[in-house]
């Protein structure tokens, strides 16, 4: 099971190539920002403790040129990886599976578009019905089940107000907007149980419409399909 723990400061463990790249970019950006912050603090302390002054420091075209060029180079080191990520976010694939997710106040409904008569609603499991080891406010009565290492297309919309379908471990967050279809691509590296929640304030019970994503191997997924079609 993969979810955020109490006191956790970092990201959840990545389970998709996209989330791995997002974490790499975050670490890359934090490394550059740490170097900048350290350098600025060091120079500030030197200036505050130094009693000498020089006209070449207070007024110098060479220094002004340097502190204009260096930030531009630093911005390039941040911009190029971010452009690569934007390309990966919008990359089109040939999905082997298409699933529709429809947001309601306050639950999600799912439809497997490639198969006949496979659709269900997913409600949060009440606290008094939770099994031992289940997570309060995150467990649902029906899990969204997808196969691992398979390109899956999610089509997201809403039946009433704006919702947001979010699974942090996969690095996906897409708004569900009434009258509009939004699309995202899923690709998971390993099986497991992954949790998400609606990330758009959608009403009084906004905190009670979780997402439980169960990722399984292809054989288990095929068996589940056969059982659902009976």
């Amino acid at each position: 099971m993969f979810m955020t723990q109490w006191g956790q400061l970092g990201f959840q463990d990545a389970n998709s190539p996209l989330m791995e790249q997002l974490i790499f970019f975050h670490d890359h950006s934090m490394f550059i920002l740490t170097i900048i912050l350290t350098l600025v603090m060091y120079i500030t302390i030197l200036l505050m403790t130094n009693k000498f002054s020089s006209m070449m420091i207070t007024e110098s075209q060479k220094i002004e040129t340097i502190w204009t060029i260096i930030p531009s180079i630093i911005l390039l080191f941040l911009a190029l990886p971010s452009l690569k990520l934007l390309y990966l976010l919008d990359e089109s694939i040939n999905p082997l599976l298409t699933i529709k997710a429809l947001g309601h106040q306050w639950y999600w409904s799912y439809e497997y578009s490639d198969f006949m008569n496979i659709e269900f609603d997913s409600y949060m499991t009440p606290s008094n019905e939770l099994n031992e080891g289940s997570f309060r406010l995150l467990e649902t009565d029906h899990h969204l089940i997808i196969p691992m290492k398979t390109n899956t297309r999610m089509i997201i919309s809403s039946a009433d107000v704006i919702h947001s379908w979010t699974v942090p471990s996969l690095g996906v967050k897409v708004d569900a907007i009434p009258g509009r279809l939004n699309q995202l691509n899923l690709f998971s590296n390993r099986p497991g149980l992954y949790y998400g929640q609606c990330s758009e304030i959608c009403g009084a019970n906004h905190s009670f419409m979780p997402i439980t994503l169960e990722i399984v191997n292809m054989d288990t997924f095929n068996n589940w399909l056969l059982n659902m079609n009976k």
Side-chain angles (χ1 to χ4, degrees):
M1 299 180 183
F2 298 86
M3 57 175 288
T4 304
Q5 305 293 330
W6 290 109
Q8 180 176 333
L9 297 178
F11 295 101
Q12 296 183 20
D13 292 338
N15 188 32
S16 69
L18 174 60
M19 189 58 187
E20 290 175 357
Q21 292 299 319
L22 288 171
I23 293 176
F24 291 155
F25 177 69
H26 171 268
D27 295 342
H28 171 75
S29 303
M30 290 303 296
F31 177 73
I32 294 176
L33 292 176
T34 301
I35 293 176
I36 295 173
L37 181 61
T38 303
L39 182 61
V40 170
M41 291 181 64
Y42 175 72
I43 295 175
T44 303
I45 293 172
L46 284 182
L47 291 175
M48 293 178 65
T49 56
N50 191 350
K51 297 181 181 180
F52 298 100
S53 62
S54 172
M55 288 298 295
M56 295 301 295
I57 294 178
T58 57
E59 186 175 349
S60 173
Q61 293 293 329
K62 184 183 295 183
I63 292 178
E64 291 180 4
T65 302
I66 291 173
W67 71 39
T68 302
I69 293 176
I70 290 180
S72 302
I73 296 174
I74 294 173
L75 287 176
L76 282 177
F77 278 98
L78 291 173
L80 294 178
S82 65
L83 291 174
K84 176 185 175 182
L85 267 179
L86 286 174
Y87 173 77
L88 290 175
L89 285 170
D90 292 333
E91 185 179 8
S92 59
I93 60 172
N94 295 319
L96 297 178
L97 177 67
T98 299
I99 302 174
K100 295 179 182 177
L102 192 64
H104 303 267
Q105 290 182 312
W106 288 271
Y107 64 95
W108 294 96
S109 60
Y110 300 102
E111 176 186 338
Y112 288 73
S113 305
D114 301 318
F115 307 96
M116 295 293 293
N117 302 323
I118 299 183
E119 54 183 290
F120 54 85
D121 297 329
S122 181
Y123 290 88
M124 185 193 75
T125 303
S127 299
N128 58 350
E129 298 179 10
L130 288 174
N131 297 321
E132 185 176 356
S134 298
F135 295 103
R136 178 176 173 270
L137 303 183
L138 290 176
E139 192 62 54
T140 58
D141 55 355
H142 293 94
H143 297 172
L144 175 63
I145 300 177
I146 65 172
M148 61 179 288
K149 295 184 177 179
T150 301
N151 287 328
T152 303
R153 175 172 58 192
M154 293 290 302
I155 298 176
I156 315 293
S157 188
S158 173
D160 35 52
V161 298
I162 297 177
H163 301 279
S164 186
W165 199 86
T166 307
V167 181
S169 292
L170 298 180
V172 294
K173 179 182 183 295
V174 177
D175 287 341
I177 302 174
R180 175 175 174 177
L181 297 178
N182 285 330
Q183 177 180 298
L184 64 89
N185 301 317
L186 299 181
F187 186 91
S188 58
N189 294 326
R190 59 186 182 275
L193 201 58
Y194 299 86
Y195 294 100
Q197 289 179 301
C198 175
S199 298
E200 188 74 31
I201 299 177
C202 56
N205 291 329
H206 157 67
S207 301
F208 306 109
M209 52 180 305
I211 300 161
T212 307
L213 179 62
E214 186 174 348
I215 300 174
V216 298
N217 58 46
M218 185 59 74
D219 290 337
T220 303
F221 180 73
N222 289 333
N223 291 333
W224 177 78
L225 289 178
L226 291 174
N227 293 328
M228 291 292 291
N229 281 319
K230 288 181 180 179

